[in-house]
Amino acid sequence: MTYCVGLKLNDGLVMLSDTRTNAGMDNISRYRKMFTWEAPGDRAICLMTAGSLSITQGIITRLEKAIHKSSDEGSECILNADSTFRVAQLVGDAMREMQERHRDQLGASGLSSDASVIVSGQRRGGQARLFMVYSAGNFIEATDDTPFLQIGEHKYGKPILDRVMRPDLPIGDALKAAFVSMDSTLRSNLSVGMPLDLAVIRAGEYRFAVQRRIEADDEEFNRISSGWSDALRGAFSQVPEVAITR
Amino acid sequence: MTYCVGLKLNDGLVMLSDTRTNAGMDNISRYRKMFTWEAPGDRAICLMTAGSLSITQGIITRLEKAIHKSSDEGSECILNADSTFRVAQLVGDAMREMQERHRDQLGASGLSSDASVIVSGQRRGGQARLFMVYSAGNFIEATDDTPFLQIGEHKYGKPILDRVMRPDLPIGDALKAAFVSMDSTLRSNLSVGMPLDLAVIRAGEYRFAVQRRIEADDEEFNRISSGWSDALRGAFSQVPEVAITR
């Protein structure tokens, strides 16, 4: 399985993904699910993928091919598209192409071709934006009312986001929210696993402020994880006891 | 959908269920999912159901019929079965009967006959026990390692149970854990809804210590719910801030 979460803040974008992929419980592998492109000073784009690995790898390959083609022919690609919205459309087109190619055959074998992609980024002159592209190639955008998007195993990590995520959260707090949401998911679902990939884009910057892999022994993440466990147990004991009445 | 949770403690059993049933988002009804039988001084039995309502209502009807038949003929039923384990077997038998009757036709209409039942109770001379009966009529029992069982929309409410549930929790704390777990689910999934049904059996007692409906305006539940929201936000702010490093 997979868990990827993207947060959209007034101060920028936070993206966090795991790296575990499994075909059954006995066939677990590690695959990067976060893909980034940076043209410093012009744009930073981050994709996170969930669902059928053959489909999502195909999408990334198509986007990469278009970038190479564009450097020869000046054709459109995610690195020269005139908006982040247009980038999401290009990802949607690649999704549709992959689905058309494989859906029927996968379906005939009883397999799902479902996939989804979180597209985030910022280009010079534009806003930081966060989209989710569905299997059909259509997409939605995160708004102030719901300033986060999740793909994959999203349920365990949603309650904390429902309670603390607001667009006016500082980036540091948003990182904490993403870590806590991921930590809850890691604990409750074995098919989501370390290491993690993290990327941050600040509002008005056209490069990644943070882009790094978080390994299982990462001190920062483990400090948040154990700090959250302690704080949660503290919070629980702090809630008034229930009086037992018949 | 549905959320039901059963907790098994050294001090007894706590059972909590919601009452919302839906066939699509536009067809929401209220159905009791908790069913209790009490023979004070001899036994207390509590069932909670999830999944296909036609299947689970059929199971309850079969168990009730067997009770009526038993009072005439002295035949076996859940009120005279010689162990709570045997009660779970009788529930499993009723499940199998219902599945055999309806599964093929439901499947032909593209509908699922899946259902599950949490069976809990205590009879004179026995221990408090907690079982989960699956669609196939087989079942598992809660143990000290995993002292809780959930059916229905279980994911949102699982992280808190994973962290705080231990068999040595006092009943008051276990009630709090059940309330908090339910509250997280209510907030994140519209198809789980108030009112709730609550039942408590204390170790060594053969009756319900608590058995009541919790309405949407219940002061105790709302105190826990808002107390938990506050405590959770407090816990979140208490976790050390994440340093942003590239």
Side-chain angles (χ1 to χ4, degrees):
Chain A
M1 197 98 180
T2 290
Y3 179 49
C4 303
V5 58
L7 311 179
K8 188 187 167 193
L9 310 142
N10 300 340
D11 290 352
L13 295 161
V14 170
M15 281 74 64
L16 184 65
S17 69
D18 85 317
T19 52
R20 189 162 291 176
T21 303
N22 68 310
M25 284 304 288
D26 54 350
N27 188 358
I28 289 178
S29 324
R30 189 195 283 191
Y31 281 97
R32 175 173 274 273
K33 295 162 195 174
M34 179 183 286
F35 303 88
T36 57
W37 293 265
E38 194 177 33
D42 180 64
R43 72 186 61 200
I45 296 169
C46 174
L47 265 58
M48 296 186 288
T49 62
S52 169
L53 189 62
S54 60
I55 297 286
T56 59
Q57 287 189 338
I59 292 170
I60 301 299
T61 306
R62 269 164 173 68
L63 297 175
E64 288 281 8
K65 264 193 181 165
I67 291 172
H68 288 298
K69 194 175 163 213
S70 132
S71 70
D72 295 339
E73 305 176 13
S75 50
E76 191 180 30
C77 71
I78 59 171
L79 285 186
N80 64 18
D82 65 4
S83 67
T84 311
F85 181 87
R86 181 65 190 148
V87 169
Q89 280 187 331
L90 293 174
V91 174
D93 290 347
M95 172 73 86
R96 249 191 294 264
E97 236 185 278
M98 285 304 296
Q99 292 290 349
E100 272 158 27
R101 195 179 177 82
H102 294 294
R103 186 167 33 206
D104 291 350
Q105 286 299 314
L106 281 169
S109 309
L111 297 170
S112 166
S113 66
D114 281 349
S116 48
V117 183
I118 291 179
V119 179
S120 58
Q122 190 169 216
R123 57 151 202 109
R124 176 170 294 282
Q127 302 274 312
R129 296 177 78 171
L130 180 65
F131 300 92
M132 170 151 59
V133 178
Y134 295 107
S135 290
N138 58 331
F139 53 86
I140 59 168
E141 182 170 8
T143 63
D144 280 359
D145 286 328
T146 304
F148 62 91
L149 292 172
Q150 306 168 287
I151 53 177
E153 175 60 279
H154 64 280
K155 293 189 178 182
Y156 298 114
K158 188 162 181 283
I160 184 65
L161 296 178
D162 280 340
R163 286 172 201 263
V164 304
M165 250 308 283
R166 296 188 320 267
D168 60 351
L169 230 51
I171 294 262
D173 280 351
L175 272 175
K176 201 163 79 172
F179 280 8
V180 163
S181 175
M182 178 62 80
D183 186 54
S184 297
T185 312
L186 291 169
R187 280 195 180 232
S188 292
N189 189 325
L190 272 185
S191 71
V192 176
M194 301 284 277
L196 312 175
D197 287 312
L198 171 69
V200 175
I201 303 172
R202 287 185 186 280
E205 288 186 6
Y206 312 108
R207 62 176 193 91
F208 288 98
V210 181
Q211 198 183 351
R212 68 180 177 93
R213 173 148 288 194
I214 297 168
E215 298 288 347
D217 61 355
D218 187 90
E219 274 181 36
E220 182 96 53
F221 185 80
N222 290 330
R223 200 164 52 83
I224 300 293
S225 172
S226 63
W228 176 242
S229 269
D230 295 345
L232 205 59
R233 273 189 287 265
F236 183 75
S237 66
Q238 199 184 304
V239 173
E241 185 141 336
V242 177
I244 306 166
T245 47
R246 187 170 172 97
Chain B
M1 198 101 180
T2 291
Y3 180 49
C4 303
V5 58
L7 311 179
K8 188 186 166 192
L9 310 142
N10 300 340
D11 289 352
L13 295 161
V14 170
M15 282 74 63
L16 184 65
S17 70
D18 85 316
T19 52
R20 190 162 291 175
T21 302
N22 68 312
M25 282 305 288
D26 54 351
N27 188 359
I28 289 179
S29 323
R30 187 194 284 191
Y31 281 98
R32 176 172 274 273
K33 296 164 195 173
M34 179 184 286
F35 303 88
T36 57
W37 293 265
E38 194 178 33
D42 180 65
R43 72 185 61 200
I45 296 169
C46 173
L47 265 59
M48 295 186 288
T49 61
S52 169
L53 189 63
S54 60
I55 298 286
T56 58
Q57 287 189 338
I59 292 170
I60 300 300
T61 306
R62 268 164 175 67
L63 297 175
E64 286 283 7
K65 264 193 181 166
I67 290 171
H68 288 298
K69 192 176 164 214
S70 133
S71 69
D72 295 339
E73 305 175 15
S75 50
E76 191 180 29
C77 70
I78 59 171
L79 285 186
N80 64 18
D82 66 3
S83 66
T84 310
F85 181 88
R86 182 62 191 150
V87 169
Q89 280 185 332
L90 293 174
V91 174
D93 290 347
M95 172 73 86
R96 249 190 295 263
E97 235 185 278
M98 285 304 296
Q99 292 290 349
E100 273 158 25
R101 195 178 177 84
H102 294 294
R103 185 167 35 205
D104 292 350
Q105 285 300 313
L106 283 169
S109 309
L111 297 170
S112 167
S113 66
D114 282 349
S116 48
V117 183
I118 291 180
V119 178
S120 59
Q122 191 170 214
R123 56 150 202 109
R124 176 170 294 280
Q127 302 274 311
R129 296 177 79 172
L130 179 65
F131 300 92
M132 170 151 58
V133 178
Y134 296 107
S135 290
N138 58 331
F139 54 86
I140 58 167
E141 182 170 8
T143 63
D144 280 358
D145 285 328
T146 305
F148 62 90
L149 292 172
Q150 306 168 288
I151 53 177
E153 177 58 280
H154 64 281
K155 293 189 178 182
Y156 298 114
K158 188 163 181 284
I160 184 65
L161 297 177
D162 280 340
R163 287 172 200 265
V164 304
M165 249 310 282
R166 296 188 321 268
D168 61 351
L169 231 50
I171 294 262
D173 280 351
L175 273 175
K176 201 162 79 171
F179 280 9
V180 164
S181 174
M182 178 62 78
D183 185 55
S184 297
T185 313
L186 291 170
R187 279 193 182 233
S188 293
N189 190 326
L190 272 185
S191 73
V192 175
M194 302 285 276
L196 312 175
D197 287 311
L198 171 68
V200 176
I201 303 172
R202 286 185 186 281
E205 289 186 7
Y206 312 107
R207 61 176 194 94
F208 288 98
V210 182
Q211 196 183 353
R212 68 180 177 93
R213 173 148 288 194
I214 297 169
E215 297 289 347
D217 61 356
D218 187 88
E219 274 182 35
E220 182 95 53
F221 186 80
N222 290 329
R223 200 165 53 83
I224 300 293
S225 171
S226 63
W228 176 241
S229 269
D230 295 345
L232 206 59
R233 272 189 287 265
F236 183 75
S237 66
Q238 198 184 306
V239 173
E241 185 141 337
V242 177
I244 306 167
T245 48
R246 189 174 169 94

